[in-house]
Amino acid sequence: KKTTSINQLQNLVLKGQVPQTIIRFDKAKIFGEIDHVHFNNGAALNRNGTWKHGSKTLTTKEAKFLLYHGWTIP
């Protein structure tokens, strides 16, 4: 398990090296916000495992990818 930066993760998205359901990674920009990942169903998951908005059942592929890159799974 490692902590991958948001920029590195977003570069993996641009290269198509993430599960297809992940559309982008966003860095926290305002106080109280947490780095988060957006899924193709509109949900967004914070790095600490809480949902920013919406929710979904993570696929095995999504969960393994996020865990490997230092995310907490809900």
Side-chain angles (χ1 to χ4, degrees), residues 18-68:
V18 302
Q20 288 187 329
T21 48
I22 292 176
I23 54 172
R24 75 174 192 271
F25 287 88
D26 285 353
K27 196 161 182 53
K29 292 180 181 74
I30 58 172
F31 180 78
E33 194 176 41
I34 300 169
D35 292 348
H36 52 281
V37 56
H38 287 266
F39 296 94
N40 62 358
N41 73 339
L45 180 67
N46 291 319
R47 191 184 283 268
N48 68 1
T50 60
W51 289 103
K52 180 174 172 71
H53 46 79
S55 68
K56 72 186 295 295
T57 301
L58 295 179
T59 64
T60 303
K61 195 182 277 189
E62 291 165 346
K64 282 184 176 173
F65 178 85
L66 292 171
L67 277 171
Y68 178 78

Side-chain angles (χ1 to χ4, degrees), residues 4-23:
T4 308
S5 79
I6 290 297
N7 290 341
Q8 289 170 313
L9 288 166
Q10 183 58 28
N11 283 334
L12 292 178
V13 171
L14 297 175
K15 292 178 189 168
Q17 297 173 340
V18 302
Q20 288 187 329
T21 48
I22 292 176
I23 54 172

